Every structure is written in C-alpha cells, then in structure tokens.
Amino acid sequence: WLVSCFCGFVEGRGPHMHWSVPLLSLSTLLSFTTCFYFFSTPETIAVARETRHAASTQSYWGPVDSDFDWCERNNELSAYLSEPFNTATSAAYPLCAGYAWRLHHRLSLSRWHRLMLSVTMAMGVGSMIFHGTLRYWAQLLDELPLYAMAVLAAATLRQRASRAPGVQPLAAAWSAFIAAGLLLSERDSDVHVSFRGLMTVTFSVAFVYIFTAGSVAGEEVDAARGGGDGATLFRLTFVSFVAAILSWIADILLCRELQALPLGMPYPQLHALGWHFGTCLGLLQLFCLMLLHQHCVRDGLEASVRYRAGLRAPGGAPPP
C-alpha cells in the first residue's frame, strides 16, 4: 500500500493516504529532530558555550554565538556571509510566499491565509540574516516566524470547515506569548531555556497535526469535487517535507563524511538544497491544498487545478 502511494505520487494518482501514515512516520522523524534541536544537539553543529565569545578572524560578524553552526563551511566566499549557500537558498521562502499571494489573491484569501504568507516571508528574511551572520538574535528571527507559521497552519486546518475564527486567534496569541518569553528573557536563564523547550516540542506537535489533518482535508476535497487533486496535493506536500527532513537529519549526522566525499566531489549542500527547497515546495503545495479546501468544501464553489511553472496550483473564478 505504501509503495502504491509513492508510485501514485510520481504518476499523479493512487489511493488516499490514510491519516495514520503521516501521523506515525512524522512522529518518528520529528522525535529525532526535536532531540537534535533541543535535548541533545550533535557535536557536528553544536556551538559550545565557551566559544561564543572567542576571537574570530574569518567573519565580519564575530565568533559564532548561535546555538547551531550548520555543516556548510563558514565564510568561504566572503567575510560578510557566514554560510553563503544557506543564505541564498533562504530567499526561496519569501519568493514562494509572494508567488502564492500573487497567484491566489483573487480567491478571497482569509486574514489567516494572509498572515501565514506574511510570517513565511518574515521567516525567509530571518533565515537569510541567520545563515549570513550565525548570531543568536538572528536565529530567533528565523525560528519565531517558523513557529508561528506552523501553529497558525495547524489552527487553520483545525477550523477548515468553518468561517468562524475558532482557535486561530488563540494560536496567534500563543505564538506571540512564546516570542515574548524568548525575547524578554536572558539567553542562559531557566525561563529562556524552558521557553525554547516548549517551543521545540509544541512545534513538533503542530507539525504532525498539520499532516494528519491535511490528509483528511485532501480526502474531503476529492469527495466534494471528484477526481484526485486533493490526494495528489497532499502527497506532493508530504513527500516534499519528508525528503526535506531526511536531508536535514543527514546533513547533521553525516556532516564529516559529506565534507570529505571521494573523488573530490563537492559537499552536496543538503541543508540549502534539500531542507530549504524541499520545505519551500512543500509549503506551497500545502497552501494550495488549504485554499482548494476552503474554495470547494467550505464555500461550495467550483475550482480547477492546473500546473504553473511545474507547480501544482488551484485556480478558478473568485467567489461572488
């Protein structure tokens, strides 16, 4: 059955993916990412506390003081860019969010859709600053919008069948609460560490919920309008994110091996190309699925699904 799902992804057909598949598979994968991100960061990317204020002759921004120093070698192109490939590929997030906004602005985007696109743009800018400087304050510029986007997406999927705001204002308020707790506390304080742990764990919970609910949303779309576009969009989203997460994990665990490949092969930039591009594509597909669900299931309107520049996108006349 799993093989048929992945064959269906490639061919654009196949059965609906049962909600238990993303629930179990992503719960397993995110148990690793949660552990690596907060509880036990591998030494390949961990920045020791005692080195945060060491002298640096490489970077214009000074010594690395973020929690993470990713596998890409630092300052190879410029003293002003700590991780040039990671910095450049982070620009994909605001570009994709702007593309989605422009493409679907006639489909009556809700305030929560617009907010999700806005925080995606902010996350991309924060990610560029973070990878360019490897400073902790810039790390928060990357993490906090990412967290808000995940919590808002989970809340929007929870309310997908209703026009009422429901839990979405609570999700926005919770994201602001987490941001305030981190921004207003000292980095090494117990309060700050507790908020980081809370953010990491609840992000993983929201992430798993997004895909569990997204699987059901895809089924609801196809039940309402026929065809298999809902299932296809969800499979595109799911496979893009699984590939991105596996790239993120491999880049951390195999960093030394990837930096010393045989025959002089270059470092494959798994974080830049796998994680950034994979999650960006996945976010675009997820947004399309959520918007198609709103248009066809919640509002009962007609919609078509077509490709634009190789990307799956819902289209149709704006609601009256």
Side-chain angles (χ1 to χ4, degrees), residues 8 14 26 31 37 52 78 80 89 149 165 177 189 191 208 213 230 236 252 267 289 294 303 310 314:
L26 290 176
S31 65
Y37 208 84
R52 289 176 185 167
S78 170
Y80 295 96
T89 54
M149 179 182 60
F177 170 70
S189 67
V191 171
V208 172
L236 285 165
I252 294 172
Y267 165 63
L289 175 60
Q294 173 193 285

Side-chain angles (χ1 to χ4, degrees), residues 109 111-112 161 177 216 242:
L109 296 181
R111 71 180 67 178
W112 306 109
F177 170 70
V216 178
V242 168

Side-chain angles (χ1 to χ4, degrees), residues 113-178:
H113 287 129
R114 292 194 294 269
L115 182 57
M116 280 188 290
L117 290 176
S118 297
V119 296
T120 301
M121 292 180 188
M123 180 194 69
V125 173
S127 182
M128 292 175 68
I129 298 172
F130 170 44
H131 287 296
T133 64
L134 291 179
R135 313 302 294 171
Y136 184 68
W137 58 266
Q139 178 182 322
L140 293 178
L141 292 181
D142 179 13
E143 292 174 335
L144 294 177
L146 172 61
Y147 179 76
M149 179 182 60
V151 173
L152 285 168
T156 301
L157 281 166
R158 177 67 180 81
Q159 292 296 128
R160 64 186 181 276
S162 173
R163 292 179 177 272
V167 298
Q168 292 168 109
L170 295 177
W174 173 260
S175 300
F177 170 70
I178 292 293

Side-chain angles (χ1 to χ4, degrees), residues 67-287:
D67 287 335
F68 314 104
D69 187 355
W70 306 103
C71 191
E72 181 182 355
R73 289 195 174 100
N74 297 346
N75 301 105
E76 286 202 318
L77 298 181
S78 170
Y80 295 96
L81 287 177
S82 296
E83 296 175 343
F85 281 96
N86 284 343
T87 302
T89 54
S90 294
Y93 296 111
L95 290 176
C96 279
Y99 170 81
W101 197 312
R102 180 178 179 275
L103 187 63
H104 305 307
H105 70 280
R106 292 186 177 182
L107 295 182
S108 187
L109 296 181
S110 73
R111 71 180 67 178
W112 306 109
H113 287 129
R114 292 194 294 269
L115 182 57
M116 280 188 290
L117 290 176
S118 297
V119 296
T120 301
M121 292 180 188
M123 180 194 69
V125 173
S127 182
M128 292 175 68
I129 298 172
F130 170 44
H131 287 296
T133 64
L134 291 179
R135 313 302 294 171
Y136 184 68
W137 58 266
Q139 178 182 322
L140 293 178
L141 292 181
D142 179 13
E143 292 174 335
L144 294 177
L146 172 61
Y147 179 76
M149 179 182 60
V151 173
L152 285 168
T156 301
L157 281 166
R158 177 67 180 81
Q159 292 296 128
R160 64 186 181 276
S162 173
R163 292 179 177 272
V167 298
Q168 292 168 109
L170 295 177
W174 173 260
S175 300
F177 170 70
I178 292 293
L182 288 169
L183 295 173
L184 299 178
S185 60
E186 294 292 330
R187 179 180 181 181
D188 294 323
S189 67
D190 291 340
V191 171
H192 193 91
V193 173
S194 297
F195 269 89
R196 281 199 65 81
L198 185 60
M199 178 182 70
T200 304
V201 172
T202 53
F203 172 84
S204 296
V205 172
F207 195 92
V208 172
Y209 179 82
I210 288 169
F211 284 86
T212 305
S215 176
V216 178
E219 292 186 29
E220 293 170 348
V221 166
D222 292 341
R225 65 191 293 273
D229 289 319
T232 299
L233 280 169
F234 179 75
R235 286 196 299 272
L236 285 165
T237 304
F238 179 75
V239 174
S240 296
F241 270 97
V242 168
I245 294 170
L246 291 174
S247 296
W248 190 88
I249 293 173
D251 193 62
I252 294 172
L253 295 182
L254 302 176
C255 180
R256 293 188 180 91
E257 290 79 4
L258 293 172
Q259 291 284 11
L261 292 174
L263 304 177
M265 290 188 292
Y267 165 63
Q269 301 290 347
L270 291 185
H271 189 95
L273 302 178
W275 172 251
H276 286 169
F277 284 164
T279 54
C280 183
L281 180 60
L283 286 170
L284 183 58
Q285 308 306 324
L286 178 63
F287 180 77

